[in-house]
Amino acid sequence: MVGPMAHSRARPNPADGKPLVRRAAATVGVLFLLIGVLGFVPGITSGMDDLRFAGHGSGAFLFGVFQVSVLHNLVHLAFGVAGLVLARTVTGARTFLVGGGAVYLVLWLYGLAVDHDTGANVLPVNDADDWLHLGLGIGMIALGLLTGRPRR
């Protein structure tokens, strides 16, 4: 159907009028939820028989690359929920992106400092996780700063 009637049945876009920082935070939150769920899906996560609650002994790898544990997946899920909740306001969205990015930079430093083969590697993290955490930290902070500025 074409013309004015075609639009009367169309659903409104939930992103219409929503500040970019809120959309960015919600998108990042959804991505974290997705990653958290995928960490429990056999085939997408290899070595599910070796999935442990926590620690370096977990032999599960998301996409065959990123070492994960139940705790690691739960952190992703919690981060995703936090992102969606905080995306409800501009201040919350900016806080989630900048603060969450800072948390991921600290996690990157943790990954560099901890011996990956010891009990101190609680989450667990490997070299691929370390690079991903660096990228997430920088990316989230950049999103928060660049999309969180008021329009002129």
Side-chain angles (χ1 to χ4, degrees), residues 32-51 59-66 68-70 72-74 76-77:
F32 274 112
L33 284 173
L34 180 63
I35 293 301
V37 169
L38 291 177
F40 292 110
V41 177
I44 295 174
T45 299
S46 59
M48 288 297 289
D49 292 341
D50 294 323
L51 181 68
F61 291 86
L62 180 63
F63 305 123
V65 178
F66 304 104
V68 293
S69 65
V70 172
H72 202 147
N73 293 333
L74 292 174
H76 288 141
L77 291 170

Side-chain angles (χ1 to χ4, degrees), residues 18-42:
K18 188 184 289 187
L20 188 56
V21 69
R22 289 184 58 208
R23 287 185 276 163
T27 300
V28 171
V30 167
L31 289 174
F32 274 112
L33 284 173
L34 180 63
I35 293 301
V37 169
L38 291 177
F40 292 110
V41 177

